[in-house]
């Protein structure tokens, strides 16, 4: 196609957008409302997945060392624990450190148990390569010598992993469903705008215009509708997400949990929405006018 011809198609597309102002506004509004809904759910579900991963990674195996164990016994136990399959990291917490954590959580009255009166155990804290492996690692650690007891959450942790897996599946289904709804709504809205101009298309056919010549301005028009309709929710989502991120960060400060950072997440999401808007607008225009171009 010649550059001059493409320039004419672009001019015709923009003329048509302004000439059919209210229909263009209706189509852009439909695209914007649909994509802001899709974008909001994607942002929510991605952050739910992030928090779920943080919860999973926060689950650890706590191996309590027998009070009778000597230093060499503790070192031997450490080596044995590191050799257990799927153990990623191992940290050591003394009984005094455990007591300080207890005092920090429940109050100064636990100071009574300081020194030789401390009933707590030294602890090895294990993290696994995959959170679901904590049960296997705990079972292996429990069999070792000089291990008083092992804690990892038991059935509660396993239920947590099952719940998180279910949430991720449901989230994926919701996103796919919303995208299908977006395709349906946008295509139908553009179909209405084209239907209102069926006479214009028929006249162009009667004067001998080829289907490709008729289709190009509508394709460009649909792409512009999709672009403008996607830029609006993208701007809103970037502003709102940055605000909610700052709010959520203040609330979660000091914990092991956090939301997805705005850079680059929300910008990638915005770029994706713009791409989806342009693609759906273009495809919606082409598909919607197929019935008018049949011989």
């Amino acid at each position: 196609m010649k550059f001059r011809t493409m320039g004419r198609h672009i001019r015709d597309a923009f003329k048509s957008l302004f000439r059919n102002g209210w229909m263009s506004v209706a189509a852009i509004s439909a695209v914007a409302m649909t994509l802001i809904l899709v974008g909001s759910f994607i942002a929510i579900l991605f952050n739910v997945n992030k928090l779920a991963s943080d919860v999973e990674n926060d689950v650890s195996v706590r191996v309590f060392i027998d009070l009778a164990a000597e230093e060499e016994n503790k070192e031997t136990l450490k080596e044995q624990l590191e050799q257990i399959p799927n153990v990623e990291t191992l940290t050591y917490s003394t009984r005094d450190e455990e007591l300080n954590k207890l005092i920090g959580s429940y109050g100064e009255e636990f100071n009574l148990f300081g020194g030789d009166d401390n009933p707590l155990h030294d602890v090895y804290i294990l993290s696994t390569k995959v959170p679901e492996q904590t049960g296997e690692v705990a079972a292996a650690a429990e069999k070792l010598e000089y291990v008083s007891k092992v804690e990892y959450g038991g059935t509660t942790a396993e239920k947590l992993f099952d719940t998180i897996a279910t949430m991720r599946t449901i989230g994926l289904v919701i996103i796919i469903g919303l995208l299908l709804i977006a395709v349906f709504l946008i295509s139908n809205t553009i179909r209405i705008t084209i239907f209102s101009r069926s006479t214009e298309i028929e006249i162009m056919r009667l004067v001998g215009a080829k289907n490709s010549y008729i289709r190009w301005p509508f394709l460009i028009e649909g792409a512009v509708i999709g672009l403008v309709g996607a830029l609006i929710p993208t701007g809103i989502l970037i502003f709102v997400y940055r605000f909610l991120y700052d709010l959520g960060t203040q609330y979660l400060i000091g914990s092991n949990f956090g939301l997805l950072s705005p850079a680059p997440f929300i910008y990638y999401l915005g770029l994706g929405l713009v791409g989806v808007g342009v693609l759906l607008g273009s495809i919606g225009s082409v598909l919607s006018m197929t019935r008018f171009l049949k011989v």
Side-chain angles (χ1 to χ4, degrees):
M1 181 185 296
K2 295 180 180 179
F3 180 78
R4 185 173 58 186
T5 305
M6 178 56 70
R8 185 184 302 117
H9 288 327
I10 294 173
R11 285 197 306 273
D12 290 344
F14 277 94
K15 284 181 182 178
S16 180
L17 281 170
F18 288 106
R19 191 186 317 126
N20 301 277
W22 286 112
M23 292 303 298
S24 299
V25 170
I28 290 172
S29 299
V31 173
M33 292 300 295
T34 305
L35 290 184
I36 199 168
L37 183 65
V38 172
S40 298
F41 269 91
I42 290 176
I44 291 170
L45 291 170
F46 268 69
N47 277 283
V48 167
N49 184 67
K50 168 66 164 55
L51 290 171
S53 297
D54 290 342
V55 170
E56 284 182 329
N57 294 329
D58 198 48
V59 176
S60 57
V61 179
R62 294 174 59 83
V63 179
F64 295 85
I65 305 170
D66 196 306
L67 293 174
E70 301 291 340
E71 287 303 318
E72 59 268 21
N73 303 135
K74 294 178 185 178
E75 191 61 35
T76 301
L77 177 59
K78 177 184 176 182
E79 294 173 359
Q80 292 173 334
L81 290 172
E82 289 175 332
Q83 292 173 3
I84 295 176
N86 302 317
V87 170
E88 186 171 36
T89 62
L90 182 150
T91 56
Y92 177 67
S93 178
T94 66
R95 54 201 297 225
D96 292 330
E97 290 172 340
E98 291 295 299
L99 181 60
N100 289 333
K101 293 176 185 176
L102 203 61
I103 293 171
S105 299
Y106 297 104
E108 295 294 328
E109 57 269 21
F110 281 90
N111 276 324
L112 297 172
F113 297 102
D116 293 335
D117 294 327
N118 186 348
L120 302 180
H121 295 253
D122 295 327
V123 180
Y124 281 121
I125 303 169
L126 314 179
S127 66
T128 58
K129 296 177 181 178
V130 179
E132 288 79 4
Q133 296 168 339
T134 52
E136 299 174 10
V137 171
E142 205 165 17
K143 298 175 183 177
L144 299 177
E145 191 177 5
Y146 295 107
V147 172
S148 175
K149 65 176 179 176
V150 176
E151 291 182 354
Y152 74 101
T155 55
T156 302
E158 292 168 3
K159 288 180 181 178
L160 173 66
F161 298 144
D162 292 339
T163 301
I164 289 172
T166 303
M167 287 172 58
R168 284 172 173 158
T169 303
I170 293 173
L172 181 61
V173 171
I174 290 174
I175 289 176
I176 293 173
L178 284 173
L179 288 174
L180 292 175
I181 292 172
V183 172
F184 176 78
L185 290 177
I186 293 171
S187 297
N188 277 280
T189 303
I190 294 175
R191 184 177 290 116
I192 293 171
T193 64
I194 293 176
F195 183 78
S196 67
R197 294 157 61 190
S198 57
T199 304
E200 178 185 340
I201 297 172
E202 186 62 27
I203 291 171
M204 293 175 70
R205 294 202 62 204
L206 289 173
V207 298
K210 294 181 180 180
N211 285 352
S212 58
Y213 187 91
I214 299 171
R215 185 181 287 115
W216 267 107
F218 284 97
L219 187 148
I220 296 170
E221 188 176 338
V224 172
I225 288 173
L227 175 62
V228 177
L231 288 175
I232 295 170
T234 296
I236 294 172
L237 283 173
I238 289 175
F239 175 78
V240 173
Y241 187 83
R242 291 183 69 89
F243 171 77
L244 292 177
Y245 175 80
D246 292 339
L247 199 65
T249 300
Q250 292 177 8
Y251 180 77
L252 295 171
I253 192 168
S255 70
N256 294 325
F257 313 123
L259 302 176
L260 287 168
S261 175
F265 167 68
I266 196 64
Y267 301 108
Y268 283 153
L269 177 57
L271 190 62
L273 290 179
V274 169
V276 169
V278 172
L279 184 63
L280 293 181
S282 303
I283 294 175
S285 287
V286 172
L287 294 179
S288 298
M289 64 183 303
T290 300
R291 58 175 294 190
F292 300 110
L293 297 180
K294 290 181 180 178
V295 178

